Amino acid sequence: MTTTVRTQVAIVGAGPAGLVLSHLLAEAGIASVIIDQRSREDIEQTIRAGILEQGTVDLLATIPGSRVHTAGARHDGIELRFDGAGHRIDFPDLTGRAVWLYPQHEALKDLLAARIGAGQDLRFGVTATGVEDADGDRPRVIAVDDAGAGLEIEADFVVGADGSRSVVRKAISGSHGGLFREYPFAWFGILCEAGPSADELIYSNSPDGFALISQRSETVQRMYFQCAPDLDADSMSEAQIWDALQRRVPGTTLVEGPIFQRDVLRFRSFVAKELRHGRLAIVGDAAHTVPPTGAKGMNLAVADVLLLARALEALLVRSDAGLLDGFADAARDRIWKAQHFSWWMTSMLHVAPDASDFDRERQLGELRSVVESEAGRTYLAEGYTGWPFA
Ligand code: PHB
């Protein structure tokens, strides 16, 4: 049994990109259907990074019911720590902008509630398997639900917001091709029950490698340290984890507490070769992934979606394909800036396993040249708080 539904825009993926897109489309009077292979509970529990750029926050705050300003915490700076000393980067001073610490799953709860409240056609447990008529005017998403029933969504436009293993990307580029680079390290991430060790995020470079001290609330903290990509997260005792973290943030005595979640996060940099083909486009992690050091992932997804929403409004409301023709180049412009920023923060702060003494001294020279110069600090602050949306 296969059911066919017709809509204007079929969106594969109910993550931040898909949900924000459906909101913006609805505001423009454009109907959409969203499918996601996960359940609502799974989506709301996915632990992801938590830093939102000023522009992302401004957009989320316009969505009814958003708690970003009440449950999120404004952060006016971060600390870069190296060579035993901390150096604060003051965002408002340098750029007039700030960031918010608001975990992605909290933003997702808001977005899901808002879209469901608005009557959005949103189907969980439905897995896209392919796209038919990818070259035509009415492409179709082929999908199957958890009970094995088929679903076809026929639309004027198909958007893949379906993450790094995107099915829609395959329909666009014919393969999973793109430009990428791997890193010889990963992050060991923990959530623990403890009070905050610092008011702001600490990005620390130490001879033992990188660590990031982040927060979640007054009673829950998120911390990461650089580890080997093939490390088994269960291979370390809590004492070993605390020792690894403490050694990487000399100068701060971390507040320790029970660790209730741990994971090894591998990452890479990736940009898909094609972002759009005819009436198909990809956004967010389907189009690109960045290492987490620059905290750009969700922000870049929102930036893609803003561009695509405007292009789709022009196409579907005013029959003007001009913006859509420029979509991929406009998106790529920011994507590569964010790729560079994420790579730069990563390479500046981590210690590669094969780093020579020269590499290490050069890295410390780079860090000093950033923090000692207002131009250097401003460059970092502009990237971190996010370049203004076009
Ligand atoms: C987080 O709090 O999970 C977090 C914050 C900043 C990053 C990455 C992750 O760069």
Side-chain angles (χ1 to χ4, degrees), residues 107-163:
L108 280 167
K109 283 182 200 165
D110 294 352
L111 286 165
L112 286 165
R115 295 312 304 138
I116 290 165
Q120 171 72 39
D121 186 337
L122 172 48
R123 303 174 188 216
F124 300 103
V126 179
T127 303
T129 55
V131 181
E132 301 268 307
D133 283 338
D135 292 310
D137 278 346
R138 293 288 287 171
R140 280 175 295 126
V141 174
I142 311 301
V144 60
D145 74 13
D146 283 347
L151 176 71
E152 286 193 17
I153 313 171
E154 187 191 309
D156 295 324
F157 204 95
V158 170
V159 179
D162 48 344

Side-chain angles (χ1 to χ4, degrees), residues 49-51 101 187 201 203 212 214 216 222 224 292-293 295 384:
I51 291 288
L101 184 65
W187 280 11
L201 273 66
Y203 287 79
L212 170 61
S214 183
R216 283 295 177 265
R222 181 81 163 136
Y224 305 91
T293 326
Y384 200 91

Side-chain angles (χ1 to χ4, degrees), residues 10 21 32 34 41 55 64 72 76 120 147 174 177 188 190 200 225 272 335 349 383:
L21 179 64
S32 64
I34 312 177
E41 293 68 33
D76 283 343
Q120 171 72 39
F188 195 110
I190 62 158
E200 292 178 341
F225 62 91
I335 290 167
L349 289 162

Side-chain angles (χ1 to χ4, degrees), residues 13-21 38 48 104 107-108 111 161 298 301-302 305:
L19 293 166
V20 171
L21 179 64
R38 298 165 294 173
R48 302 291 287 271
Q104 184 167 315
L108 280 167
L111 286 165
M298 173 166 166
V302 168
V305 155

Side-chain angles (χ1 to χ4, degrees), residues 248-322:
R248 287 167 174 77
V249 278
T252 294
T253 304
L254 298 173
V255 181
E256 298 183 8
I259 294 169
F260 63 89
Q261 147 104 31
R262 50 168 80 194
D263 38 28
V264 171
L265 293 119
R266 295 190 201 171
F267 48 80
R268 62 181 200 151
S269 301
F270 169 79
V271 181
K273 272 203 188 96
E274 312 283 346
L275 303 181
R276 182 214 150 203
H277 173 88
R279 287 173 171 256
L280 267 50
I282 44 176
V283 289
D285 283 355
H288 42 72
T289 52
V290 287
T293 326
K296 285 279 151 276
M298 173 166 166
N299 298 294
L300 205 47
V302 168
D304 292 345
V305 155
L306 269 173
L307 288 172
L308 186 60
R310 279 186 218 140
L312 290 179
E313 184 178 351
L315 179 76
L316 300 176
V317 178
R318 301 192 300 276
S319 300
D320 169 4

Side-chain angles (χ1 to χ4, degrees), residues 48-51 75 77-82 91 99 101 186-192 196-206 208-216 220-227 241-242 244-250 252 254-255 263 265 267 291-296 345-346 349-351 380 384:
R48 302 291 287 271
I51 291 288
H75 281 229
I78 56 168
E79 186 185 300
L80 287 192
R81 183 160 316 178
F82 57 93
F91 298 146
V99 297
L101 184 65
W187 280 11
F188 195 110
I190 62 158
L191 280 167
C192 67
S197 294
D199 294 335
E200 292 178 341
L201 273 66
I202 303 174
Y203 287 79
S204 185
N205 167 286
S206 80
D208 289 309
F210 170 75
L212 170 61
I213 308 306
S214 183
Q215 299 88 21
R216 283 295 177 265
V220 172
Q221 311 307 320
R222 181 81 163 136
M223 303 181 195
Y224 305 91
F225 62 91
Q226 175 185 341
C227 69
I241 293 171
W242 285 114
L245 280 164
Q246 295 278 2
R247 271 191 291 124
R248 287 167 174 77
V249 278
T252 294
L254 298 173
V255 181
D263 38 28
L265 293 119
F267 48 80
T293 326
K296 285 279 151 276
M345 288 282 282
T346 303
L349 289 162
H350 291 70
V351 179
L380 194 156
Y384 200 91

